[in-house]
Amino acid sequence: MKQRILTGAIAGAGFLGLLAVGGNWFAALIVLMAIIGYDEYVRMNKLKDHRITWLVGMIALILLTLPWEMHRFTYELNEVGLIWGAVFVLMAATVLSKNKITIDMVSLLFLGIVYIGVGFHYMIMTRWIPEHGLFWTLLIFVCIWATDSGAYFVGSKFGKHLLWPVISPKKSVEGALGGVLIAIVAGLCFSLARPELLSPARAVLIGVVIAVSGQLGDLMQSAYKRVKGIKDTGTILPGHGGILDRVDSWLIVFPLVHWLALIPS
């Protein structure tokens, strides 16, 4: 527990410090986290030995994560073009390798590239919002963390009905609802602090969306790890597991709040 607390304190302080600084410093941190997360994903799927596809995937991931929009590149080049380019190169690899690199391998790589790359990309873009980017980024993170804390404490105290035992045997319906409630409270606190930026009604909506989608993102990662027969995606954070263990909610929440236009872009 001491190791877990120490690791969490150090990593949390560093992350929040760079989040506050923003700009290229925060973007560099997020890109680094994306690279480590991608490597964890590749190792989980035992695809590290295929160096060419690993390298193609890494390049595609970095390009997809970077904030091209802020440097006057078009949306099509950033997402549609890069995603299609990754598909083309990975599919071509199956032909050029005479199926030593199989369609199953490249399908897994492609899923990881999009899942990790797009998720981290929107974290950068949220912080890069021209006005009040720090406010909106903190709103999302605090609602995510409030959901996790609320689900844990309410579930520990009042949890009686299992939410999804086949996937995550410890999560309860009561805990999930507690997570939603605490996320709403967190959102309303931001609304009270800056009512000119966030109305109470939108704060409630954002809290609900983040709490529900964040918990779903957690369950997605739990389902994947259960299939692979592993507890953690990595060991880079002693006591906490890997990068993907820590950001499972983030990767789902950040793109979703943008796609639903719940925050400025």
Side-chain angles (χ1 to χ4, degrees), residues 1-241:
M1 181 57 70
K2 289 182 179 179
Q3 184 186 54
R4 183 180 178 87
I5 293 173
L6 180 61
T7 302
I10 295 173
F15 181 85
L16 290 174
L18 289 175
L19 173 59
V21 172
N24 290 325
W25 289 101
F26 182 67
L29 173 63
I30 294 300
V31 171
L32 177 61
M33 291 174 66
I35 290 171
I36 297 171
Y38 171 77
D39 191 65
E40 291 175 354
Y41 179 87
V42 170
R43 290 178 185 276
M44 281 193 297
N45 287 286
K46 298 179 173 59
L47 297 172
K48 193 68 180 284
D49 293 337
H50 299 275
R51 295 182 180 179
I52 295 177
T53 50
W54 176 88
L55 180 60
V56 169
M58 181 65 78
I59 294 171
L61 174 93
I62 293 171
L63 292 175
L64 196 55
T65 304
L66 288 170
W68 294 112
E69 293 96 322
M70 304 309 298
H71 299 284
R72 298 184 181 181
F73 283 82
T74 65
Y75 173 86
E76 288 77 14
L77 172 63
N78 179 49
E79 291 186 347
V80 177
L82 289 174
I83 289 173
W84 183 87
V87 171
F88 173 75
V89 174
L90 289 172
M91 292 291 287
T94 65
V95 176
L96 297 175
S97 69
K98 299 178 181 178
N99 267 339
K100 290 180 181 179
I101 298 170
T102 67
I103 186 66
D104 293 337
M105 293 176 185
V106 299
S107 297
L108 279 172
L109 278 175
F110 179 71
L111 176 63
I113 292 165
V114 176
Y115 169 59
I116 298 169
V118 171
F120 278 116
H121 172 80
Y122 277 100
M123 294 177 209
I124 297 175
M125 294 311 302
T126 304
R127 182 62 183 90
W128 225 307
I129 291 173
E131 294 185 6
H132 311 295
L134 181 59
F135 173 87
W136 296 109
T137 310
L138 282 174
L139 168 65
I140 296 172
F141 275 127
V142 170
C143 285
I144 291 173
W145 296 330
T147 300
D148 292 342
S149 298
Y152 175 78
F153 288 111
V154 173
S156 298
K157 184 70 174 179
F158 302 105
K160 294 182 179 179
H161 302 87
L162 295 179
L163 178 65
W164 214 276
V166 176
I167 300 300
S168 187
K170 294 183 179 180
K171 288 182 171 60
S172 66
V173 174
E174 292 82 1
L177 293 175
V180 174
L181 178 61
I182 301 302
I184 291 173
V185 172
L188 287 172
C189 288
F190 275 79
S191 176
L192 287 172
R194 299 296 300 270
E196 75 279 11
L197 296 179
L198 181 64
S199 68
R202 183 170 289 260
V204 170
L205 179 58
I206 288 175
V208 171
V209 169
I210 289 177
V212 173
S213 62
Q215 292 184 80
L216 182 57
D218 190 345
L219 288 170
M220 290 176 184
Q221 191 69 247
S222 296
Y224 191 79
K225 288 189 289 187
R226 186 167 289 273
V227 168
K228 294 299 177 180
I230 59 175
K231 183 179 183 296
D232 297 318
T233 61
T235 58
I236 193 171
L237 299 171
H240 292 266

